[in-house]
Amino acid sequence: MAQKLQSDAYREELINKIKENYLSVALGFLVFLVAVTLIYRSTSARQKAQMEQDQAQEQMEQKTNVHVVKAGESVSSIARDVLGSTEYADEIIAANSLKNPEVIEVGQELILPEVSGMQTTPAVTQPAATAAPTAAPAVKMEDKGGTTTSTTTGKITANTYVVQKGDTLMTIAERAYGNKSMYTRIMSANGIRNMNRIEVGMTLKLPR
């Protein structure tokens, strides 16, 4: 009888130790779970803050490369005057998802691609002259070969034309044929593949 009681007491003591160990393990696991949760939340918050900072930085960088369209400008002239070459016209078109590069409005903001040598220094305003002479209006002139050379307005009647600043194939076609959609005829006659890549001083054939 005494041996049985001793055995029961030992069993009960063993069960109590197992319970204590189980509670210790459960408590340790709970502490571990809470620690992991806190670390995850802290990491997520830092990642979110970093992402927002990166987005703000990207928007700021893009904003510094924005060009506001002025009167008489085209995608080609902006690429030439601001980025240094009309070869960047395609990149401007792609960066702004322009469906019709010939249709840009005064005051429109265009995102410009990053280019080494890009003109970012603002122009210095010169003091107005006290007695500046009035500039003479542009005069349409033709040489002996029938080439229009010095105006960007008015009808073109010659068979060739020298490209002036601000010209586009569509404006030249409208002045030469009365229909700007006929710029494709000029492209074909001059072997031009990209309508935005014409240079000032280039002589274009105007088939009649």
Side-chain angles (χ1 to χ4, degrees), residues 29-91:
F29 179 77
L30 181 61
V31 171
F32 172 78
L33 186 61
V34 171
V36 169
T37 302
L38 292 175
I39 293 173
Y40 174 78
R41 289 182 177 179
S42 177
T43 303
S44 298
R46 285 198 300 269
Q47 290 177 345
K48 183 178 180 181
Q50 183 64 39
M51 185 179 298
E52 291 175 350
Q53 183 178 355
D54 292 342
Q55 289 177 348
Q57 181 67 24
E58 182 179 358
Q59 291 175 355
M60 183 178 297
E61 290 175 354
Q62 289 181 349
K63 198 66 178 177
T64 59
N65 293 335
V66 169
H67 177 80
V68 180
V69 178
K70 302 178 182 63
E73 286 187 326
S74 64
V75 173
S76 294
S77 66
I78 293 171
R80 180 189 64 237
D81 298 339
V82 180
L83 303 181
S85 173
T86 56
E87 294 181 357
Y88 296 111
D90 289 340
E91 295 185 32

Side-chain angles (χ1 to χ4, degrees), residues 65 83 88 91-93 95-96 111-116 118:
N65 293 335
L83 303 181
Y88 296 111
E91 295 185 32
I92 297 176
I93 294 170
N96 295 274
I111 298 174
L112 303 182
E114 285 287 349
V115 176
S116 59
M118 177 178 171

Side-chain angles (χ1 to χ4, degrees), residues 34 61 103 128 139 196 203:
V34 171
E61 290 175 354
V103 181
V139 179
N196 293 303
T203 299

Side-chain angles (χ1 to χ4, degrees), residues 111-165:
I111 298 174
L112 303 182
E114 285 287 349
V115 176
S116 59
M118 177 178 171
Q119 298 179 7
T120 56
T121 305
V124 178
T125 303
Q126 299 293 335
T130 55
T134 303
V139 179
K140 182 178 179 181
M141 298 177 62
E142 296 184 0
D143 59 18
K144 294 182 179 180
T147 301
T148 304
T149 59
S150 65
T151 181
T152 57
T153 59
K155 185 174 179 61
I156 301 173
T157 58
N159 295 327
T160 56
Y161 177 77
V162 178
V163 178
Q164 306 295 311
K165 184 176 181 180

